[in-house]
């Protein structure tokens, strides 16, 4: 996939997370640990949006914001596996059953995201390194969602 296509798709995905009415309504019925993990993922999406805007040059590079967003993703990423205990599949959730069938793979996937976020933190002052580091981080998110997240059904809009 060409780099520009990937960036556009990733940007649309992150934007969808922040404004999608289906996500908002799905989160409204969540309770307990499911709600906690949905909120954590929403926070990761917000941090990705901040990084993406700078990586694409939409907003000026701000080293402090890059570091804060990447640190937030890394911290949240470390918490992810604990937010998916056995039995937390009931009710409103976007978690796929593969999480519990392949816990080692799920852990590896979250570790890759944490490593990619830490790499951005280490590169926060290097504008040239931000774009490829952001792309690597985005790929970890996409790969995990592809394997471990239930695909959302598109909402039908009245004509």
């Amino acid at each position: 996939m060409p780099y520009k296509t990937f960036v556009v798709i990733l940007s649309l995905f992150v934007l969808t997370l922040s404004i999608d009415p289906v996500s908002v309504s799905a989160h409204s019925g969540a309770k307990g640990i499911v709600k906690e993990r949905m909120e954590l993922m929403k926070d990761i999406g917000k941090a990705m949006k901040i990084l993406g805007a700078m990586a694409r040059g939409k907003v000026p590079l701000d080293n402090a914001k890059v570091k804060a967003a990447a640190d937030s993703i890394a911290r949240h990423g470390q918490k992810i596996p604990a937010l998916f205990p056995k039995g937390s599949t009931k009710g409103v959730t976007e978690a796929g059953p593969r999480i519990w069938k392949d816990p080692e793979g799920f852990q590896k996937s979250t570790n890759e995201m944490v490593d990619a976020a830490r790499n951005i933190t280490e590169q926060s002052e290097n504008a040239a390194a931000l774009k490829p580091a952001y792309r690597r981080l985005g790929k970890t998110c996409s790969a995990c969602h592809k394997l471990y997240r239930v695909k959302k059904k598109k909402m039908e809009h009245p004509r």
Side-chain angles (χ1 to χ4, degrees):
M1 174 183 307
Y3 177 71
K4 287 184 180 184
T5 303
F6 173 79
V7 171
V8 168
I9 291 170
L10 184 61
S11 300
L12 290 173
F13 172 74
V14 171
L15 181 61
T16 300
L17 286 178
S18 65
I19 62 172
D20 182 17
V22 174
S23 294
V24 173
S25 64
H27 288 202
S28 66
K31 296 178 182 169
I33 200 154
V34 174
K35 183 174 183 173
E36 188 177 340
R37 69 186 180 217
M38 286 180 159
E39 292 299 321
L40 180 133
M41 296 295 184
K42 195 163 130 181
D43 288 346
I44 290 173
K46 288 177 186 177
M48 286 294 290
K49 187 175 179 180
I50 291 167
L51 291 173
M54 286 185 262
R56 290 185 311 279
K58 299 284 183 183
V59 298
L61 181 67
D62 182 325
N63 297 337
K65 287 182 181 178
V66 169
K67 187 171 178 357
D71 283 345
S72 174
I73 292 168
R75 275 192 323 277
H76 284 341
Q78 291 175 319
K79 297 174 187 175
I80 290 173
L83 294 174
F84 291 86
K86 288 182 181 179
S88 63
T89 60
K90 305 276 189 258
V92 177
T93 183
E94 296 171 6
R98 190 168 181 179
I99 291 170
W100 296 277
K101 291 177 185 171
D102 180 22
E104 294 83 15
F106 184 61
Q107 178 72 54
K108 181 181 178 213
S109 186
T110 59
N111 289 346
E112 289 170 356
M113 182 189 74
V114 170
D115 290 345
R118 286 183 178 149
N119 182 56
I120 289 177
T121 299
E122 294 165 8
Q123 302 292 330
S124 66
E125 295 182 23
N126 184 345
L130 179 59
K131 191 178 285 189
Y134 172 74
R135 184 175 181 212
R136 176 179 168 226
L137 177 59
K139 283 183 178 182
T140 68
C141 296
S142 297
C144 188
H145 286 181
K146 183 177 180 182
L147 292 174
Y148 301 106
R149 185 177 182 190
V150 173
K151 292 182 182 176
K152 295 180 188 180
K153 293 181 180 176
K154 291 187 179 183
M155 209 170 124
E156 289 193 28
H157 297 283
R159 293 185 178 176

